[in-house]
Amino acid sequence: MAGPQIGWLDLLLSVLRSTSTKREAKSYLSRFTPTKRAQLEPSKQITILREQSHKKQRYGPSRRNRSGVNLGDLYVHTAKAIDDSPVFTQNTVREPVLKNAAEPLHVALVKLRAPQLLSAATLDGIGHTLSQLRRLGLSSVVVLDCDTQHNVSGKTQELGDWRQVVVHQADRIAASIDYHKGPGARRLDNIIEVGVVEEELVPTVSVRGKARVTFRELLLAPLRRGVIPIIPPIGYTSGTQIAVSVSSNDVVLALAREFAGIASSASDEDPLKTAERIRSLQSQISLDKLIILDPLGGIPSWDRPDGAHVFINMDQEFRDITNELIGGTNVTVLQKQSQDLLLGQKVVPSTSAGDTASFEPAKAEDASLQPPAPDALKVADTGISLELEPHLRNLQLTQQVLTLLPPTASAVLITPEEAANSDRPSAVPFQASGVGTRRQKNPLIHNLLTDKPPYSSSLPITRLTRSAITGHMPAQSQSYPTTFAKKGMPVTILPDPRKSPWVPPRPGSPRLTLNHPSIDLPRLVQLIEDSFNRKLDVQKYLKRVNDRIAGVVIAGEYEGGALLTWETPPGVVDDESETTRLRMVPYLDKFAVLKRSQGAGGVADIVFTAMVRTCFPNGVTWRSRRDNPVNKWYFERSRGTWKLPDSNWTMFWTTEGLVKDKQTFLDYEGVSRGVIPSWVDHHAVPD
């Protein structure tokens, strides 16, 4: 088989082995399928555009109408001769600008840390993966980080040996890309300028930087030809043009600002012209992804058995993870406080009325959770260990870049070894257990096709094999599994479990209702009805749940949500006694996602993860009709299921060891059988 055919076969196998559904495939095709013209070679595209420009100049509009005078049909018989005649002018005729002449370039910013530590085989695999991404429609711009001690931008240092190292590593990566079929790669070490921090269009100080791109066209020209630019961390001072080292993070931010069209501009520029210029720049480039290839892998998490964050919703989790990394607020302590008050354990009486009366929602803008400014996150100030400092810098960089980009953009933090996985036969034996029954795939190819992490963040870790989590990482590796991040959306949790853990209500304590001013009841009802495609009997529903509500989780602008209640099992008298409280069942009454958000953006995972890890870490139960197509999704995320005999319901739960506790199991079953639906058409669909 010929070489090009083998290359296409590898690429097709990568696509076919992905877990993309029809919905995900449609989303990928809508974003990355080029037009017929864009499918041609870059040189042919330029030829076509040039011919179109000449035709517009020569044939249209007719030169007989350029005077601005309507001559009617006076010269109708000689029109063709006039249009076909040569043009003699003293000055060059300016060719008209063709708006939207080319498709926007889909680009990924790739930061490669410590390439000098990578073997030739790993670099070859990375080159192969980047070539595959380009053929799938995503071009890459690679930024090197060869200094494991995090050099500082603008600091002049002995460039001799250091510059030789970074140039040599850039050439190594370029050679690994050139080896595979395609336009190849090119080193660019003269496009970054280092100066003072300027005023940018984005007011957030964390996205400003001393580095900026000086020759935009020098960067875009190879990208248009399909060439992958390799940018070493070398810059030149704005005044004296002296070569200095530049922080790779500053280079990435400079490129992100340039691609986003929000680089610094003249302060006296007309706002309308500024807006038009930004739109023009953004129409040329679509920065879709940030990829960080770091030997350390993803962002560590001490709350997960696999040791890493699978998915990060930046709007919701950035501050918590930052505080965790710098030794501040540790969410595990907060969850432990909640677990100590859960059912079946000794209940400690509240020492403050505010512990149960606080119905303030948990939001990302909580001032008590504000992290230090990025520039203040220094080892000496925070006491963060040297092992965790690179993770913190990667987290900061991810948040800063995603802040500049549309909500559809995403980031992947992964080890170079995982990125080098090319779906070729592996020495790792095939494992078939739990959910991880599919053959290993390249996480970057999978992410491009699905815009999702390798596995869902809301999946219980017990349902995944070790190989599904770590992929092809060595057994003794100190790396963390892949982390996928998006700007995401804020999550509102009412009441805030960090202030008031969700426990059964005590006698005389205030009860949360859906009429609370922090809850937009009409939007909540619209969310439920849109998700279930059924009309809710609002008054009947309020009458049933208003005295039982444990809490409400809302994602974004009511794009998704969960309503959870405390239910009393059949045969238990609801007298607010301590015995009754210990028997109350945590129940997921409604789990809803808008139709337009289903399967996209991870809304369902965001809501479910907040529910089972923050609100009810010790377990929750719910039910679903047996023919509900969502049951497969529920099954993968539950610890157990039970098809209730003589009914159309399936019961799910996340409570560990439930089947060993007969009384609690029977309570769960009784609640699942006894909850009466509150739909207007509840007779139309038998339950």
Side-chain angles (χ1 to χ4, degrees):
M1 186 179 292
Q5 291 178 327
I6 294 176
W8 274 112
L9 180 60
D10 287 344
L11 184 60
L12 289 175
L13 288 175
S14 296
V15 174
L16 293 174
R17 287 172 185 157
S18 73
T19 58
S20 57
T21 62
K22 290 182 179 180
R23 177 183 292 162
E24 293 163 354
K26 183 178 180 181
S27 175
Y28 162 74
L29 292 174
S30 66
R31 289 180 294 131
F32 290 97
T33 298
T35 61
K36 290 183 178 180
R37 185 183 65 209
Q39 294 178 21
L40 300 174
E41 293 295 328
S43 59
K44 293 183 179 180
Q45 293 185 43
I46 296 173
T47 301
I48 291 175
L49 294 177
R50 187 174 293 135
E51 290 177 353
Q52 291 176 348
S53 177
H54 286 313
K55 285 181 180 179
K56 285 197 173 187
Q57 175 62 37
R58 185 168 185 176
Y59 296 113
S62 177
R63 296 204 308 274
R64 56 195 171 99
N65 291 331
R66 291 180 190 168
S67 63
V69 180
N70 185 2
L71 301 177
D73 295 333
L74 180 61
Y75 298 107
V76 66
H77 299 292
T78 59
K80 187 175 186 303
I82 294 175
D83 288 338
D84 289 345
S85 62
V87 179
F88 298 95
T89 59
Q90 183 176 0
N91 299 320
T92 302
V93 177
R94 179 176 299 175
E95 293 186 353
V97 177
L98 299 180
K99 295 184 179 181
N100 300 323
E103 298 290 326
L105 292 169
H106 292 277
V107 174
L109 273 178
V110 181
K111 175 190 169 185
L112 177 57
R113 181 169 173 261
Q116 67 272 22
L117 303 180
L118 302 181
S119 66
T122 300
L123 281 183
D124 176 74
I126 293 174
H128 181 59
T129 298
L130 296 181
S131 298
Q132 285 185 315
L133 290 176
R134 184 191 63 80
R135 297 169 77 178
L136 286 170
L138 186 66
S139 300
S140 300
V141 177
V142 181
V143 178
L144 299 190
D145 182 0
C146 296
D147 189 352
T148 58
Q149 298 301 318
H150 311 297
N151 52 331
V152 180
S153 290
K155 179 181 178 181
T156 57
Q157 51 181 272
E158 295 296 332
L159 289 180
D161 295 339
W162 176 83
R163 186 170 184 178
Q164 291 180 8
V165 169
V166 296
V167 170
H168 174 63
Q169 296 305 320
D171 292 340
R172 285 183 70 207
I173 298 171
S176 69
I177 297 173
D178 291 340
Y179 179 78
H180 300 280
K181 180 177 174 57
R186 174 184 174 187
R187 170 167 51 88
L188 298 178
D189 55 6
N190 57 350
I191 65 170
I192 299 298
E193 182 179 77
V194 180
V196 298
V197 177
E198 299 180 274
E199 292 294 328
E200 278 117 11
L201 299 176
V202 177
T204 308
V205 68
S206 61
V207 299
R208 298 179 181 178
K210 296 180 180 180
R212 67 185 184 94
V213 177
T214 54
F215 300 107
R216 177 183 176 88
E217 193 57 34
L218 191 61
L219 175 63
L220 295 188
L223 277 173
R224 292 193 185 104
R225 298 195 304 271
V227 176
I228 298 177
I230 310 296
I231 303 177
I234 300 174
Y236 294 85
T237 57
S238 56
T240 57
Q241 292 298 301
I242 298 176
V244 295
S245 64
V246 186
S247 166
S248 59
N249 285 10
D250 282 348
V251 175
V252 171
L253 281 173
L255 292 167
R257 290 193 299 268
E258 186 67 34
F259 289 150
I262 53 178
S264 58
S265 63
S267 58
D268 58 349
E269 185 178 23
D270 185 353
L272 294 178
K273 291 184 178 179
T274 300
E276 179 62 29
R277 179 174 57 83
I278 292 177
R279 281 193 295 268
S280 175
L281 294 174
Q282 291 177 341
S283 67
Q284 301 174 25
I285 294 289
S286 174
L287 183 53
D288 298 314
K289 291 190 183 295
L290 170 68
I291 300 173
I292 298 180
L293 305 180
D294 193 313
L296 295 177
I299 302 298
S301 170
W302 293 273
D303 298 326
R304 289 183 58 87
D306 55 347
H309 289 276
V310 177
F311 171 70
I312 297 178
N313 175 19
M314 281 293 174
D315 270 3
Q316 176 199 8
E317 302 177 88
F318 174 68
R319 292 179 176 88
D320 285 341
I321 299 174
T322 299
N323 288 328
E324 189 174 3
L325 289 175
I326 64 177
T329 303
N330 193 326
V331 295
T332 55
V333 176
L334 299 170
Q335 290 187 352
K336 181 62 169 59
Q337 294 174 353
S338 177
Q339 291 175 356
D340 289 343
L341 296 173
L342 290 170
L343 299 176
Q345 299 184 19
K346 182 178 180 181
V347 179
V348 181
S350 173
T351 57
S352 171
D355 290 341
T356 57
S358 175
F359 290 147
E360 291 301 317
K363 291 187 176 181
E365 56 266 24
D366 192 334
S368 65
L369 299 176
Q370 290 284 352
D375 293 340
L377 292 175
K378 307 297 183 184
V379 177
D381 298 333
T382 64
I384 186 172
S385 66
L386 291 176
E387 291 77 12
L388 293 179
E389 185 192 6
H391 292 296
L392 180 59
R393 294 182 182 274
N394 286 341
L395 178 68
Q396 286 181 278
L397 177 64
T398 301
Q399 190 268 345
Q400 291 166 351
V401 171
L402 292 180
T403 298
L404 298 170
L405 305 180
T408 55
S410 59
V412 182
L413 296 86
I414 185 175
T415 64
E417 289 76 17
E418 275 289 272
N421 172 24
S422 61
D423 263 343
R424 292 167 181 169
S426 172
V428 179
F430 178 74
Q431 298 185 13
S433 63
V435 176
T437 59
R438 298 181 178 92
R439 184 176 176 179
Q440 282 299 316
K441 53 192 172 291
N442 185 292
L444 296 182
I445 300 294
H446 172 268
N447 178 256
L448 174 63
L449 296 173
T450 65
D451 200 32
K452 292 181 179 180
Y455 57 93
S456 174
S457 59
S458 60
L459 282 176
I461 200 66
T462 54
R463 289 192 175 271
L464 295 167
T465 62
R466 180 64 182 169
S467 61
I469 300 171
T470 61
H472 293 271
M473 290 190 296
Q476 302 302 321
S477 172
Q478 298 300 314
S479 305
Y480 293 90
T482 301
T483 295
F484 176 66
K486 299 195 85 170
K487 185 178 180 181
M489 59 189 66
V491 176
T492 302
I493 303 178
L494 182 72
D496 186 350
R498 291 171 293 194
K499 299 177 181 178
S500 301
W502 290 16
V503 296
R506 293 184 173 87
S509 63
R511 304 288 183 92
L512 175 66
T513 70
L514 294 183
N515 303 110
H516 190 277
S518 295
I519 299 175
D520 191 333
L521 182 58
R523 295 182 71 182
L524 180 61
V525 171
Q526 191 273 334
L527 165 63
I528 294 173
E529 293 180 343
D530 179 84
S531 178
F532 285 85
N533 200 29
R534 300 178 74 177
K535 189 72 174 177
L536 185 69
D537 188 333
V538 178
Q539 294 305 318
K540 181 179 179 181
Y541 186 66
L542 292 178
K543 184 178 179 180
R544 194 192 79 77
V545 302
N546 258 349
D547 289 333
R548 304 173 182 271
I549 294 176
V552 180
V553 180
I554 299 295
E557 296 297 324
Y558 287 80
E559 295 174 59
L563 193 150
L564 300 104
T565 59
W566 290 108
E567 301 291 341
T568 305
V572 177
V573 180
D574 191 2
D575 56 1
E576 296 187 342
S577 66
E578 192 67 18
T579 302
T580 299
R581 292 184 66 252
L582 292 175
R583 292 280 298 278
M584 296 187 80
V585 174
Y587 180 71
L588 171 59
D589 189 87
K590 289 290 182 290
F591 185 86
V593 177
L594 289 177
K595 285 188 177 69
R596 69 167 188 265
S597 300
Q598 292 176 6
V603 178
D605 279 333
I606 290 173
V607 175
F608 194 89
T609 301
M611 176 184 73
V612 300
R613 293 189 186 155
T614 304
C615 305
F616 280 135
N618 207 44
V620 65
T621 186
W622 69 96
R623 70 181 185 182
S624 175
R625 292 192 310 275
R626 292 190 182 185
D627 57 349
N628 190 341
V630 185
N631 283 351
K632 180 179 181 296
W633 193 88
Y634 285 153
F635 171 78
E636 292 177 340
R637 285 152 183 80
S638 65
R639 288 186 180 270
T641 65
W642 172 251
K643 292 182 179 180
L644 302 181
D646 302 322
S647 78
N648 193 37
W649 295 113
T650 297
M651 181 178 75
F652 299 86
W653 64 87
T654 62
T655 308
E656 187 174 3
L658 177 66
V659 294
K660 298 178 181 179
D661 188 340
K662 182 178 180 181
Q663 183 61 64
T664 303
F665 182 88
L666 293 176
D667 287 347
Y668 278 27
E669 180 183 0
V671 168
S672 296
R673 287 182 179 275
V675 172
I676 301 176
S678 301
W679 305 110
V680 172
D681 61 341
H682 65 275
H683 294 297
V685 181
D687 294 325

